[in-house]
Structures are given as structure tokens and as C-alpha cells.
């Protein structure tokens, strides 16, 4: 069609048609945006609903501690105090070990602090981030007595120590025993 | 078969009478119902129209459509050949020709383009002029058209088509005569003959008697014969010798007999086929109805459009096309609004859920503290059990070492070192026996006992050192000393530290 045949009416029609197509395109774009937005909003709703349900389930499945459990916790607290020592209380530990040895039947008990860097003691860890680290000191114990006394001592040692080395030597009189003990410190903060 | 229930009328307005009949559309055409013929001179077309309106109103006809064929009063029919021309200029050309030929000032014309008929013997090439147009034209003075339509407008009756007699006769002839090249008919109305010829289904010629009442005219057979002869000559000359095979005669029984008996059953050499009608004007009314039923009926008045057509005209097809994108956009906008409402609903749901989560999370602080307390107690119990097991394992190991030595063997020293690889130990011992073999047997028992300390224990025995037994009172007793190194694997050794295994399964811990 030559340009001369484009009448004003036809030009108006074309203008209206182009405008209609433009409005149609804009409307289509708006619909697509709305669909995408709705999709993301619904995904967010689903996630929040899942979280709310999880919290609800958590709360409904929670069993409050009973009296017996509270008492068990207190007992566990007492036991837990033996799992480690305060480095400032190492003399008390030495005294405890010496007393345990003498109570086990050993005689001539001598306790001595040693450095722990060669003992190769690994921390004691458990779930919930609980960790008892080795102390910077160890304990060397020298005593005499029967082999049974030695076994009795070892079985009565507190959980805050670990036997890293021992030796027994027959000499004149009762055998002499040397024990090298690693020590664990109590973690800082409330236990 | 009745196809529609609305009443439709066909009418004939003639200077010498009016005729009208209701008709029904049928699958094969139309059927005339109770025609009414009122002969009588009509001095003017308006008088005839008013007479017709009165006739309709007296029979209670309301807004039913009426289709009229005009005979006389100055209305003309004509066929003309004009050079090919675009459709938009045809009406002006036809009007000018009607004005020029018939001397009608300000004519109203209705025309149709007949099938082209090639008159050349050789094939027409692209360089030749296109075929001329053959037009079937009806014309009438505008005053005549206004005079007929005015009584209808005044009375509220619907005048649907207003045409001349020629198209009605052509339609009547088309319905009576099988398809052929040429056909002819003589139909009578108010005692006057009207003759029409068609070629290839299109009107070729229509002849009317002189304007005089039937009683002053020559006998009808003579008038008809004269018209037929003139028509035959015209058709033969204009359509390359075309001639109808017979002549249809439609009229009253007497008129048909009179025409049939001329020249021994022929008219101008054409055999006569009679088509009696009662009244004779009914045949013309049938033709009028047939013409009115055509979508492209020749009419001086615009056919009132039906509702769909009126809507199309009002809006315009192109306007519909233009409005389509806007309609689609409107639909999309409505969809957007619905989606926006859905988004708002989702956001409300989110707000509600967030509130629920906050409310539930607020109570979780205490729950978390209890859960942490339980986990801590579990961990401490685990480590406690691990430490006790470690000490117990070492005590058991020492007891097994002592048990590994038979009575003939005396352990002189024992060293033990514990590290992550297990327990590494050295035992030095000596055996006293009256025989060397006995002493070795005792050492062997010790060695076997040490290797059996725990599954996976390895042991290495050193060289044997022989010598006299200490404190022996006879020279027959002998002693042998030996060192045994052993290694107990970590699983059976009192290895300290590391990650503890829960002493009591968490599931059994009171919660």
C-alpha cells in the first residue's frame, strides 16, 4: 500500500490498534509479574507454616522435667564436679590421691607435680559441646605395697585423672610403684 | 413446512388495483396464504399505498414486514451494458443513465450486476478491455418512493422492500422454468399482461402494457403476443440468438386458455406452458415474495437490518477488531486484580503465621534451657562412665598380667605406658626350675598369658638369660630371666580422653 492510500481514518485505526496492543502487552507483563509474586509469596507462606508447625510440634512434644529428673540433675552436678579440677586446687587433688593410695593399703606414698606436655593426654568430650581439657600439670605418685593395693588404688582413682604410665619394680621389701597421672580441668562457667 | 412464525406480506401496487397476500417461507420457496385483490383505479401511487395500508390495518396487521412490487406510476426496469467500473462509482453512473434514458429527475435506483456474458468469439487477453458490465436496473422518481413509503411510516407498518415488477417476474420465472439459457413468461394482473425474458437466470427484458385499463385495451392475447414477439426479437439480437424453448403463461384459467389457443397452442412460435393462478395476481405476489427473500433483493428502500446486523453496523467490524486487544487487556487487568488480591491474602497469611511463630518461639526459651540441661547431664554422665571404665580397664589389665605368670615365674618389673595407640608394656620376669626345659615351659606359659591379655594383643619376647637360681641349695636348680614387650590395642586398653560414647542411651535418660 502506498503512503498516499493511508487515510486519516486508517491512521487512526492503526493508532488505536497499536495502543491496544501496547495496553495488552503491559497488562500481560503485569499479569506475569503478579503470577511470579504470588508464587514467591505462597512459597514464603508454606515455609512459615512449616516453621510454625515445627514449633508447635516441638512445644507439644516437650515433657517438663519431673521432680525425679531434677534430683537426678543435682546428683549429676555433684558427680560432674569430680570430672575435672580447678588448677588452683591441685594440692587438694594431690592430697586426695595420696589419701586414696594410703586407704588402698599402699605405704610410703609420695606425690609430685610434673609438666603434662609429654603425657599426650587428649581432652574428654561429649555431646552438647561438653569438653574437659587436660591440665597443664600432671601428678607422679610413688608408693610401695602389694599388687592388690595397686589395683585397688587404680580402680578408686577419681574421674578427673587418667593413668598415663606406671611401673612396678621388685626391690628389697614391698615392690615400688610409680604412677604418672594426667589431670583434667573443670571447664569455666557454670557446670 | 413452516419455517417461521412471523407474518410477512407481499403486495402489488398497480394503477388499476392493489393485491396483497401473506406468505410463508418454505424449504423450497414460499407459499401464498389467502391473497386479496382489490381492482380499482389508483390515481396516484400514494393513494394506492394508502389503500394498501388501510387493507392491512383492517385485517389487524401490525408491524409485520411488507414487500411491495410497483407496476407503473413511473417506476422503470431496464438492463444496460456499461464499461467495467469500480463498485463505488456504479450507483452514480446508473443514476445518471436512468436520468438520461427515462428523463427521471432525482431518481432512486436499485441495480444488480448480471452474470458477464462474452460476446466476442476470440479469447479475451490481459491487454484487452475487461468484460463490460451487464446491469439489471430498477429506477423510480424519489417522489414516487416517498409517496409509497410515507403512508407506511405514518401507520407504523414496516415497508421492507420496494421494487418493480421486473425482478418479481424474473424470480417467478426462475422458480417455474428449469435452468436454461433463456426463458419467457407472460403474467397477468388486473387483466393486463406483463412479459419478462431472462437469460442465464438474469432479467433480460420486461414489457408492460400501455397505461390504460384492461377494458379499453386490445384483447389480452393480442397484447401478450405483441410483447412476446418484441421480446423474442430483442433477446435474439442482444444475446447472440438466444431463444426460450417455451413460453410460461401465468394467469387466470380463461386467460391461459385464450393464450394457449392462439395459433394452435403456440405464441409467436413458442409452445405454451400454462400456469394457472387464482387470483391471477397471486403469481406476481409469489415472485415479489421470492425477490424479497433474497439477501440482495433489488429495492428502493433500505432493508431494515436485523439485530445482529444493526449491532455490527453500530459498532463496526473494524471497531470490533480494534477493540479486541483492549478487551483482552481488560481481561488481563481483571486477572491481575484477582492475583493482587491473592497476593494480599498470602501476605496476610504470612503476617498471621509470623505472629504465631513469635508467640510459639517466646515459650521456647525455657524449653531450650531444659533441653540444654538434659544434653549437658547426658554428656557429663557419658564422660563419667568413660573415666570409670578407663580405670576399671587398667585394673583388670593389671590383674590379668599377674594372672598370666605361673607359680614358677616371678615378675621382677612391669612398666606400662598408655597413649592413643593403646597400652605398651614391658614385663621382666625369671623362672626357676630343676630343669632348663621346665624353666622355659614356665616362661612360655607367661608369654602365652601375656598374649592372651586381650584380643589383638601382640607380644615380643626377648633373649633368655641363664644363671644359677638365687639362693639355691643345690646345683641342680637353674634360673632363666626374660623380658616380654607387649601391646594391647586401644579397644582393650585404658586409653584416656577422646570422645565419649554415651554410657546410657539418651533414650533411656529420664527426660
Amino acid at each position: 500500500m502506498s503512503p498516499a492510500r493511508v487515510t486519516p481514518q486508517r491512521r487512526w485505526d492503526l493508532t488505536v490498534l497499536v495502543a491496544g496492543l501496547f495496553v495488552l502487552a503491559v497488562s500481560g507483563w503485569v499479569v506475569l509479574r503478579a503470577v511470579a509474586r504470588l508464587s514467591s509469596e505462597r512459597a514464603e507462606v508454606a515455609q512459615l507454616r512449616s516453621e510454625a508447625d515445627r514449633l508447635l510440634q516441638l512445644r507439644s512434644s516437650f515433657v517438663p522435667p519431673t521432680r525425679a529428673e531434677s534430683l537426678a540433675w543435682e546428683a549429676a552436678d555433684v558427680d560432674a564436679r569430680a570430672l575435672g579440677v580447678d588448677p588452683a586446687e591441685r594440692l587438694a587433688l594431690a592430697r586426695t590421691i595420696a589419701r586414696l593410695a594410703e586407704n588402698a593399703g599402699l605405704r610410703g606414698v609420695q606425690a609430685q607435680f610434673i609438666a603434662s606436655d609429654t603425657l599426650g593426654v587428649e581432652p574428654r568430650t561429649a555431646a552438647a559441646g561438653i569438653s574437659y581439657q587436660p591440665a597443664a600439670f600432671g601428678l607422679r605418685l610413688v608408693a610401695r605395697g602389694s599388687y592388690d593395693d595397686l589395683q585397688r588404688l587404680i580402680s578408686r582413682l577419681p574421674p578427673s585423672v587418667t593413668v598415663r604410665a606406671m611401673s612396678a619394680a621388685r626391690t628389697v621389701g614391698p615392690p615400688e610403684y610409680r604412677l604418672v597421672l594426667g589431670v583434667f580441668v573443670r571447664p569455666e562457667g557454670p557446670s | 413446512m413452516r419455517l417461521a412464525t412471523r407474518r410477512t406480506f407481499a403486495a402489488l401496487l398497480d394503477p388499476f388495483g392493489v393485491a396483497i397476500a401473506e406468505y410463508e417461507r418454505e424449504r423450497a420457496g414460499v407459499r401464498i396464504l389467502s391473497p386479496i385483490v382489490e381492482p380499482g383505479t389508483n390515481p396516484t401511487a400514494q393513494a394506492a399505498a394508502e389503500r394498501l395500508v388501510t387493507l392491512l390495518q383492517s385485517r389487524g396487521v401490525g408491524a409485520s414486514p411488507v414487500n411491495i412490487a410497483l407496476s407503473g406510476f413511473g417506476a422503470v426496469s431496464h438492463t444496460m451494458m456499461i464499461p467495467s467500473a469500480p463498485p463505488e462509482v456504479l450507483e452514480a453512473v446508473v443514476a445518471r443513465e436512468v436520468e438520461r434514458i427515462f428523463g427521471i429527475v432525482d431518481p432512486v435506483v436499485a441495480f444488480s450486476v448480471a452474470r458477464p456474458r462474452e460476446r466476442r468469439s476470440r479469447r479475451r487477453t490481459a491487454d484487452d478491455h475487461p468484460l463490460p458490465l451487464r446491469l439489471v436496473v430498477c429506477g423510480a422518481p424519489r417522489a414516487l418512493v416517498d409517496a409509497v413509503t410515507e403512508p407506511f411510516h405514518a401507520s407504523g407498518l414496516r415497508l421492507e422492500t420496494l421494487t418493480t415488477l421486473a425482478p418479481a417476474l424474473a424470480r417467478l420465472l426462475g422458480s417455474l422454468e428449469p435452468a436454461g439459457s433463456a426463458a419467457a413468461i407472460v403474467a397477468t394482473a388486473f387483466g393486463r399482461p406483463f412479459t419478462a425474458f431472462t437469460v442465464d437466470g438474469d432479467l433480460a427484458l420486461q414489457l408492460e402494457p400501455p397505461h390504460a385499463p384492461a377494458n379499453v385495451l386490445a384483447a389480452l392475447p393480442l397484447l401478450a403476443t405483441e410483447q412476446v414477439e418484441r421480446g423474442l426479437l430483442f433477446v435474439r439480437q442482444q444475446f447472440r440468438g438466444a431463444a426460450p424453448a417455451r413460453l410460461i403463461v401465468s394467469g387466470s384459467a380463461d386467460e391461459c386458455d385464450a393464450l394457449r389457443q392462439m395459433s394452435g397452442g403456440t405464441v409467436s412460435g413458442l409452445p405454451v406452458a400454462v400456469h394457472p393462478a387464482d387470483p391471477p395476481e397471486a403469481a406476481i405476489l409469489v415472485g415479489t415474495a421470492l425477490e424479497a427473500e433474497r439477501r440482495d433483493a433489488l429495492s428502493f428502500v433500505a432493508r431494515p437490518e436485523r439485530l445482529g446486523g444493526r449491532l455490527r453496523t453500530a459498532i463496526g467490524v473494524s471497531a470490533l477488531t480494534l477493540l479486541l486487544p483492549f478487551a483482552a487487556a481488560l481481561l488481563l487487568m481483571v486477572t491481575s486484580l484477582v492475583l493482587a488480591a491473592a497476593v494480599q491474602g498470602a501476605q496476610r497469611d504470612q503476617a498471621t503465621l509470623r505472629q504465631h511463630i513469635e508467640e510459639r518461639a517466646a515459650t521456647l526459651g525455657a524449653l531450650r534451657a531444659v533441653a540444654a540441661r538434659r544434653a549437658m547431664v547426658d554428656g557429663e554422665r557419658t564422660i563419667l562412665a568413660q573415666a570409670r571404665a578407663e580405670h576399671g580397664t587398667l585394673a583388670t589389665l593389671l590383674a590379668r598380667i599377674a594372672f598370666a605368670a605361673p607359680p614358677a615365674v616371678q615378675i621382677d618389673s612391669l612398666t606400662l605406658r598408655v597413649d592413643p595407640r593403646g597400652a605398651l608394656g614391658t614385663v621382666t620376669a625369671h623362672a626357676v626350675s630343676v630343669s632348663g626345659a621346665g624353666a622355659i615351659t614356665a616362661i612360655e606359659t607367661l608369654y602365652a598369658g601375656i598374649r592372651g591379655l586381650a584380643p589383638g594383643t601382640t607380644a615380643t619376647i626377648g633373649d633368655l638369660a641363664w644363671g644359677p637360681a638365687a639362693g639355691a641349695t643345690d646345683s641342680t636348680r637353674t634360673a632363666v630371666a626374660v623380658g616380654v614387650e607387649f601391646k594391647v590395642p586401644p579397644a582393650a586398653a585404658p586409653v584416656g580422653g577422646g570422645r565419649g560414647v554415651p554410657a546410657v542411651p539418651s533414650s533411656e535418660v529420664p527426660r
Side-chain angles (χ1 to χ4, degrees):
Chain A
M1 180 183 293
S2 64
R5 300 287 299 272
V6 180
T7 61
Q9 177 63 41
R10 194 164 187 79
R11 195 174 295 119
W12 165 252
D13 289 350
L14 282 173
T15 306
V16 172
L17 184 64
V18 169
L21 291 175
F22 176 73
V23 172
L24 182 64
V26 171
S27 305
W29 180 78
V30 169
V31 166
L32 288 178
R33 293 279 300 168
V35 168
R37 178 73 183 275
L38 181 62
S39 176
S40 68
E41 295 287 348
R42 283 189 172 158
E44 178 76 11
V45 167
Q47 191 176 354
L48 289 173
R49 184 167 286 126
S50 170
E51 179 68 11
D53 291 346
R54 192 183 68 81
L55 291 177
L56 189 65
Q57 187 181 8
L58 199 65
R59 197 172 64 176
S60 61
S61 65
F62 176 75
V63 178
T66 60
R67 175 68 184 155
E69 188 177 6
S70 299
L71 291 174
W73 288 352
E74 291 175 9
D77 285 345
V78 174
D79 290 343
R81 295 191 64 81
L83 288 176
V85 297
D86 190 337
E89 298 171 352
R90 58 183 188 173
L91 268 180
L93 176 66
R95 184 185 67 226
T96 301
I97 300 293
R99 181 164 297 159
L100 284 173
E102 288 168 355
N103 288 344
L106 296 173
R107 294 290 177 263
V109 176
Q110 299 174 4
Q112 194 175 4
F113 296 112
I114 59 173
S116 67
D117 49 0
T118 59
L119 298 182
V121 180
E122 290 190 347
R124 282 176 172 162
T125 59
I130 298 174
S131 175
Y132 285 84
Q133 297 294 326
F137 66 93
L139 206 60
R140 179 185 290 134
L141 191 72
V142 180
R144 290 174 178 272
S146 70
Y147 199 67
D148 290 341
D149 297 340
L150 175 66
Q151 291 178 50
R152 197 176 300 118
L153 168 64
I154 287 175
S155 61
R156 291 178 183 175
L157 283 174
S160 57
V161 299
T162 177
V163 179
R164 307 313 298 164
M166 64 149 290
S167 65
R170 186 177 296 279
T171 57
V172 177
E176 182 183 87
Y177 305 108
R178 293 175 181 269
L179 294 175
V180 176
L181 304 176
V183 179
F184 294 97
V185 294
R186 194 178 302 139
E188 294 181 355
S191 87
Chain B
M1 181 184 291
R2 198 182 176 96
L3 296 180
T5 56
R6 73 168 185 158
R7 305 178 71 185
T8 314
F9 293 87
L12 172 63
L13 291 190
D14 187 86
F16 300 101
V18 296
I20 189 164
E22 184 179 355
Y23 72 87
E24 287 181 342
R25 296 180 189 84
E26 290 187 340
R27 201 170 294 280
V30 297
R31 187 156 63 94
I32 292 293
L33 306 171
S34 57
I36 301 167
V37 177
E38 285 198 352
T41 304
N42 297 310
T44 61
Q46 184 162 4
E50 287 169 350
R51 195 173 159 192
L52 185 63
V53 167
T54 305
L55 197 62
L56 288 168
Q57 287 176 330
S58 66
R59 282 158 176 76
V61 177
S64 297
V66 179
N67 303 284
I68 296 176
L70 275 174
S71 164
F73 298 118
V76 297
S77 302
H78 188 55
T79 59
M80 64 174 66
M81 302 283 286
I82 64 169
S84 179
E88 57 266 23
V89 303
L90 275 182
E91 183 168 353
V93 171
V94 169
R96 189 191 62 199
E97 287 298 302
V98 167
E99 189 171 356
R100 185 178 63 81
I101 295 170
F102 297 101
I104 299 175
V105 180
D106 190 17
V108 178
V109 296
F111 62 93
S112 64
V113 180
R115 289 183 193 79
R117 189 176 178 86
E118 181 58 84
R119 302 179 67 164
R120 293 184 180 179
S121 54
R122 70 175 177 83
R123 183 182 294 274
R124 198 176 287 266
T125 65
D127 295 333
D128 292 333
H129 290 293
L131 266 174
L133 296 175
R134 188 161 66 92
L135 303 178
V136 177
V137 177
C138 300
R142 189 170 300 280
L144 169 61
V145 174
D146 293 342
V148 173
T149 56
E150 196 278 330
F152 281 87
H153 289 158
S155 63
L157 289 167
R158 278 179 54 196
L159 178 59
E160 192 156 88
T161 63
L162 175 63
T163 186
T164 63
L165 205 56
L169 288 175
R171 293 300 146 240
L172 177 63
L173 187 55
S175 69
L176 295 175
E177 189 70 318
S181 172
I185 188 170
V186 174
T188 65
F190 308 109
R192 303 165 72 220
F194 296 87
T195 304
F197 286 80
T198 59
V199 175
D200 294 337
D202 294 315
L203 180 73
L205 178 68
Q206 192 251 320
L207 296 161
E208 295 185 3
H211 182 76
N215 54 5
V216 298
L217 291 176
L220 184 138
L222 293 178
L223 272 177
T225 303
E226 183 201 356
Q227 289 177 354
V228 171
E229 284 177 351
R230 284 169 52 198
L232 282 173
L233 182 64
F234 176 83
V235 169
R236 206 175 294 129
Q237 289 178 343
Q238 294 295 318
F239 297 96
R240 302 185 67 181
R246 59 179 184 165
L247 175 68
I248 304 285
V249 175
S250 176
S252 66
D254 293 343
E255 291 166 344
C256 289
D257 282 344
L259 276 167
R260 192 169 48 184
Q261 288 169 4
M262 285 188 65
S263 307
T266 64
V267 175
S268 301
L270 291 179
V272 173
V274 297
H275 183 76
D278 185 23
E281 292 79 8
I284 294 176
L285 295 178
V286 169
T288 305
L290 288 172
E291 173 67 8
E293 289 303 309
R294 287 166 59 91
R295 187 177 293 274
D296 56 349
L298 290 178
S299 175
F300 297 128
V301 295
R303 187 196 294 267
E305 284 186 306
R306 297 185 179 164
L307 182 60
R310 272 184 276 173
L311 277 176
R312 270 198 299 278
T313 305
I315 299 174
V317 174
S318 62
L320 272 177
T321 308
L322 295 177
L323 285 176
L324 199 60
F326 288 101
L330 184 64
L331 191 65
L332 289 176
M333 286 176 188
V334 171
T335 308
S336 301
L337 290 177
V338 173
L339 289 171
V343 167
Q344 278 193 340
Q347 287 175 339
R348 278 197 299 272
D349 289 348
Q350 285 178 21
T352 306
L353 286 169
R354 283 200 174 93
Q355 189 178 355
H356 288 170
I357 287 172
E358 284 177 8
E359 290 170 0
R360 291 168 188 173
T363 61
L364 281 184
L367 272 61
R368 284 203 183 97
V370 171
R373 186 80 170 95
R374 283 172 173 157
M376 191 180 70
V377 169
D378 283 352
E380 288 172 349
R381 282 177 172 157
T382 300
I383 293 175
L384 189 62
Q386 180 189 11
R388 285 175 177 162
E390 177 191 326
H391 295 161
T393 301
L394 180 58
T396 302
L397 184 64
L398 292 177
R400 285 182 177 172
I401 292 172
F403 188 73
V409 173
Q410 188 169 11
I411 293 176
D412 296 321
S413 70
L414 167 65
T415 61
L416 194 66
R417 182 171 183 80
V418 180
D419 66 16
R421 293 170 298 171
L424 303 174
T426 303
V427 172
T428 58
H430 69 272
V432 178
S433 177
V434 294
S435 68
I440 291 173
T441 300
I443 293 299
E444 191 176 7
T445 303
L446 171 67
Y447 180 57
I450 288 175
R451 284 192 302 173
L453 285 176
T457 301
T458 57
T460 307
I461 192 165
D463 200 6
L464 301 174
W466 295 91
T473 57
D474 54 61
S475 61
T476 59
R477 291 173 65 93
T478 184
V480 59
V482 71
V484 180
E485 292 182 352
F486 61 92
K487 179 181 178 183
V488 180
V495 179
R499 187 172 182 83
V501 179
V504 181
S506 296
S507 59
E508 296 178 13
V509 175
R511 308 197 74 80

